[in-house]
Amino acid sequence: MDESNKGWTSRGYLPHYDMYDTIQFITFRLYDSLPYQLIASWKEIINSNNYKGLSRQEIRKKKILVEKYARNGYGQCFLRHEKCANIVKSHILLGNKKDYELFEYVIMPNHVHVLIRTLDTSNLSNIVRRWKSRTAHEINYVLKRKGSVWMHGYYDTYIRNNEHLNHVVEYIRNN
């Protein structure tokens, strides 16, 4: 299969749509941005495949809980440091017009939201991997530390229509 044109896939849990020329809303978080207990409860559901039995309302409640922790600045919040936030900003801007068209982004103290349209044969997972890998090295250097910077994986949602696009743009701007 052409890795740049995967379509619907699964990374072991929720469905994921990775296709070029698709508008995507992406969130990636610092490694300590969510409490261990919350992550453990999600892993338990994922490992037991019980997420398939969850109602949309139950899934939504879990997402709201995750956002609550993210908004409250859980963890060390490396991105509160201007130098660290600027590192992330520069790497997001770097790929604009090459791998993706950047619509909006916001860098919060412990997570990042980005809205892009992948171009040509760009692969979303490769784009996010580059952002996280390159910024992790630089952030660790600036903070004079070693170890994880980003949580494994990322959350993505493909934009279904103009109403959804407007909602996500407003959400990012309100952050």
Side-chain angles (χ1 to χ4, degrees), residues 7-20:
W8 286 104
T9 62
S10 174
R11 294 188 305 245
Y13 45 103
L14 299 176
H16 168 73
Y17 190 71
D18 190 351
M19 188 79 127
Y20 64 88

Side-chain angles (χ1 to χ4, degrees), residues 69-158:
Y69 279 104
R71 279 193 309 271
N72 288 336
Y74 193 87
Q76 296 179 66
C77 298
F78 299 147
L79 303 178
R80 278 195 178 131
H81 303 283
E82 188 175 349
K83 285 183 179 180
C84 295
N86 283 334
I87 288 167
V88 174
K89 175 183 176 181
S90 70
H91 283 282
I92 289 171
L93 295 175
L94 186 65
N96 189 28
K97 305 295 183 208
K98 289 184 244 176
D99 296 319
Y100 49 84
E101 176 185 358
L102 178 64
F103 290 96
E104 297 284 339
Y105 72 95
V106 63
I107 301 167
M108 304 295 286
N110 64 0
H111 67 287
V112 179
H113 296 300
V114 185
L115 181 65
I116 63 171
R117 177 196 320 266
T118 53
L119 300 175
D120 298 323
T121 58
S122 296
N123 180 301
L124 183 61
S125 58
N126 287 340
I127 291 168
V128 177
R129 189 178 308 119
R130 273 195 310 270
W131 287 340
K132 290 170 67 176
S133 174
R134 293 173 182 173
T135 58
H137 293 292
E138 292 182 38
I139 288 170
N140 274 338
Y141 179 80
V142 164
L143 296 177
K144 297 176 176 51
R145 66 179 295 280
K146 293 181 180 182
S148 296
V149 171
W150 301 108
M151 186 179 290
H152 179 73
Y154 57 95
Y155 175 79
D156 60 276
T157 302
Y158 82 97

